[in-house]
Amino acid sequence: MKKASFFIVLGLAVLLLFGCAGGGGPLGGVSTKPVDTWFVELLYKLDSQTDLQYEHRAHFYIDIEVNEAKDGYNAKAVDEEGNEQEGITVTFDFSNDKVNSLKITKGSEYEYILTGEFHDGDSKPEDSMLGKYTNSKDPDDKGLWVAFRKDSSYLTGVSTSEGAGDNLKQLETIIEGLIKETTGEEVEIDLSELMK
C-alpha cells in the first residue's frame, strides 16, 4: 500500500513539474504561442441594426512575451520600430488558445478590453487572434478586433509601399473572411482610415 501511494505521489509530482497538470509547472509554464509583436486592429461597429459594417477605430503594435516566472505574460504597446509607447498600459491574459483579456489603457482616454481566440495559421506568420472589444470609458465604443503577427504576409505593404490601397483592400478581404470563417457572420470592413 505504501509503495502504491509513493508512485501516485511521484506521478503527480512529475505531472506538475512538466506543466501537464495544475495549470502549468515550473518547466512547462504558460504557452509561448502568443509571444511576438502583433498588429492589433480595432473595428468599430457602425450604428446600424441591420448593416454589419465596421470601420477602423484604432490600431496598436503590442509586444507580448512570457514573464520571468513563466506563469504569465508581459505586454507593452510599441511603435513600428519596437520602441515602447509612453503612457499606454497593456496587460495580457491567455490560456488554452483563449485571449481571456488584452487590456490597452491610456489614462482617461480609453480602456479597451479585448477578448477572443487564437487561431493557428498554416504557418506561424499566418497566425491570428480575433474577438470582441469594449471600451470601459465609452459604452458605445465596441466592436471586433483582429491581430496578426507584425511579420505576417497579410500586412505586407499595407501603409507604406506603393499600391498600399490595393494591399489594404486585400487586408479587408482577409479580415472579412476570417470573421466569417470563425463566427459565421458576414461583415463589411472599411480600413481606409489606416491610410491617413
Side-chain angles (χ1 to χ4, degrees), residues 43-46 48 50-55 130-132 143-146 169 171-191:
L43 301 162
Y44 173 71
K45 185 170 184 177
L46 296 175
S48 170
T50 55
D51 296 330
L52 292 171
Q53 294 182 318
Y54 291 81
E55 65 181 19
L130 172 73
K132 295 183 177 181
L144 301 173
W145 67 277
V146 63
K169 279 290 176 201
L171 182 58
E172 289 171 354
T173 302
I174 288 165
I175 293 172
E176 288 168 357
L178 183 60
I179 290 169
K180 183 175 181 182
E181 183 183 322
T182 55
T183 69
E185 198 169 294
E186 290 195 33
V187 300
E188 185 180 320
I189 304 296
D190 179 6
L191 299 179

Side-chain angles (χ1 to χ4, degrees), residues 32-41 59-65 73 75-80 92 94 99 102 104 117-121 123-130 145-152 154-155:
T32 58
K33 275 187 176 185
V35 170
D36 213 332
T37 300
W38 293 81
F39 173 83
V40 179
E41 172 69 31
H59 69 273
F60 303 90
Y61 286 97
I62 302 296
D63 183 73
I64 299 169
E65 58 185 29
Y73 300 90
K76 61 186 177 184
V78 297
D79 61 19
E80 285 189 71
F92 182 70
F94 178 89
V99 178
L102 171 56
I104 307 169
E117 296 187 11
F118 179 96
H119 299 277
D120 284 305
S123 64
K124 191 173 175 180
E126 292 180 342
D127 290 345
S128 62
M129 292 190 277
L130 172 73
W145 67 277
V146 63
F148 300 106
R149 295 183 191 275
K150 186 182 174 187
D151 65 351
S152 172
Y154 296 144
L155 301 175

Side-chain angles (χ1 to χ4, degrees), residues 60-126:
F60 303 90
Y61 286 97
I62 302 296
D63 183 73
I64 299 169
E65 58 185 29
V66 174
N67 67 18
E68 200 171 316
K70 294 185 173 24
D71 62 358
Y73 300 90
N74 293 327
K76 61 186 177 184
V78 297
D79 61 19
E80 285 189 71
E81 284 73 45
N83 302 309
E84 187 167 3
Q85 297 279 69
E86 295 295 325
I88 300 177
T89 305
V90 181
T91 59
F92 182 70
D93 180 29
F94 178 89
S95 60
N96 302 316
D97 287 351
K98 301 281 186 192
V99 178
N100 301 316
S101 173
L102 171 56
K103 192 181 290 186
I104 307 169
T105 308
K106 185 174 183 181
S108 61
E109 288 184 45
Y110 54 76
E111 182 183 56
Y112 293 120
I113 302 166
L114 289 61
T115 58
E117 296 187 11
F118 179 96
H119 299 277
D120 284 305
D122 293 333
S123 64
K124 191 173 175 180
E126 292 180 342

